[in-house]
Amino acid sequence: MAELKNTMEIFKLLDKSNCRECNEKTCLAFAAAVFKGKRQIDECPHLDREITDNYSGKTKRAQSIEEDMADAVAYLKSRIANIDLAAAADRIGGSFAGGKLSIRIFGKNFSVDIAGNLFSDIHINPWLAIPVLNFILDGGGTPVSGEWVPFRELPGGMVRNPLFQRRCEDPLKRVADEYTDFFADLLDIFNGKQVDRLFDSDISIALSPLPLIPILVCYWKPEEGMESSFHLFFDATAGDNLHIDSIYTLTAGFVHMFEKIAARHGAK
């Protein structure tokens, strides 16, 4: 029996139809689950018996999250070659010139060429690359409505909301509590735009991590006898333009950046 060495080796065996008959969202997700030992390769209904018999050996080792994400980025880059980048630019509010699709991420330039190569004024780690590439590949192009809703009200958000609160809102609240003035300056550095004091918050800043995916940051400072409060809101159309998993990943990515910058440069 052949030994499965990584997620992508398993993925190459699949038909890549994303049929969801295995109850995974994509063939890549199924491949990752097989490699982690959570699923068996013969659970794919479209694989020939010869393949499942030959590749039913144990995996070499479990991949790290970083390796899984690197595999995901490589897969998404490979898909870029199969789309019309000029049409994608029109669909998602970007531009196309010189063989590159360009958009703005937090006000900074980001481009991708037909070979899937990424170019940016900011550091693009997998936490950002994955949702950005998914946005380019599958973004619906629905115009922003101007209606702000919490993460839990987006399609599929309710199930993921406890994790979103723990990994996104709670860490940013800690940064805002500990480095309040620096936090406001940091939002400005990331091209945040002041909006009317929505929901009576002390800080109401709209960020633009992607075209058509604005995020509203609202922070209420602590008052006598009451602790501070912090919430993130999204345009009601965000789910039309990016899958909820990518919205979570995108938000978690910039939260991680904020935490690192605040820990290194923040001053009470």
Side-chain angles (χ1 to χ4, degrees), residues 201-239:
S201 60
D202 296 301
I203 294 177
S204 298
I205 300 290
L207 297 172
S208 184
L210 283 174
L212 307 179
I213 310 290
I215 298 178
L216 178 65
V217 178
C218 288
Y219 177 67
W220 293 260
K221 296 179 180 179
E223 297 181 358
E224 185 175 353
M226 297 180 62
E227 68 173 41
S228 64
S229 183
F230 185 98
H231 292 289
L232 296 172
F233 298 90
F234 300 82
D235 192 84
T237 63

Side-chain angles (χ1 to χ4, degrees), residues 31-45:
V34 171
F35 190 72
K36 293 175 181 176
K38 297 179 179 179
R39 305 293 298 272
Q40 297 297 316
I41 195 168
D42 59 8
E43 293 180 61
C44 173

Side-chain angles (χ1 to χ4, degrees), residues 136-153:
I136 292 170
L137 289 162
D138 302 316
T142 302
V144 172
S145 68
E147 177 188 355
W148 297 106
V149 298
F151 181 84
R152 65 178 180 273
E153 293 186 16

Side-chain angles (χ1 to χ4, degrees), residues 60-228:
K60 185 175 182 180
R61 66 175 179 85
Q63 289 196 149
S64 66
I65 293 176
E66 290 75 16
E67 289 171 320
D68 281 341
M69 296 186 80
D71 283 346
V73 171
Y75 166 65
L76 293 171
K77 285 183 176 181
S78 73
R79 286 185 58 199
I80 290 291
N82 300 319
I83 69 168
D84 183 337
L85 283 183
D90 288 339
R91 171 171 44 83
I92 64 174
S95 61
F96 183 79
K100 295 179 182 178
L101 179 153
S102 298
I103 57 175
R104 303 281 283 180
I105 298 178
F106 293 114
K108 307 296 183 181
N109 292 324
F110 173 91
S111 300
V112 59
D113 65 16
I114 57 175
N117 298 310
L118 308 181
F119 309 87
S120 180
D121 295 340
I122 61 175
H123 174 63
I124 299 294
N125 58 32
W127 290 90
L128 289 177
I130 290 172
V132 169
L133 290 171
N134 274 320
F135 177 68
I136 292 170
L137 289 162
D138 302 316
T142 302
V144 172
S145 68
E147 177 188 355
W148 297 106
V149 298
F151 181 84
R152 65 178 180 273
E153 293 186 16
L154 296 176
M158 182 62 74
V159 173
R160 297 164 179 81
N161 194 57
L163 180 63
F164 178 81
Q165 289 180 316
R166 187 166 64 252
R167 296 289 298 275
C168 297
E169 290 185 323
D170 290 349
L172 274 187
K173 179 181 180 297
R174 288 192 291 270
V175 172
D177 284 343
E178 191 167 358
Y179 310 106
T180 304
D181 292 337
F182 181 76
F183 178 70
D185 292 339
L186 197 55
L187 292 172
D188 184 63
I189 291 172
F190 277 78
N191 207 44
K193 303 298 183 185
Q194 181 70 47
V195 298
D196 292 337
R197 290 182 55 183
L198 298 178
F199 312 112
D200 293 323
S201 60
D202 296 301
I203 294 177
S204 298
I205 300 290
L207 297 172
S208 184
L210 283 174
L212 307 179
I213 310 290
I215 298 178
L216 178 65
V217 178
C218 288
Y219 177 67
W220 293 260
K221 296 179 180 179
E223 297 181 358
E224 185 175 353
M226 297 180 62
E227 68 173 41
S228 64

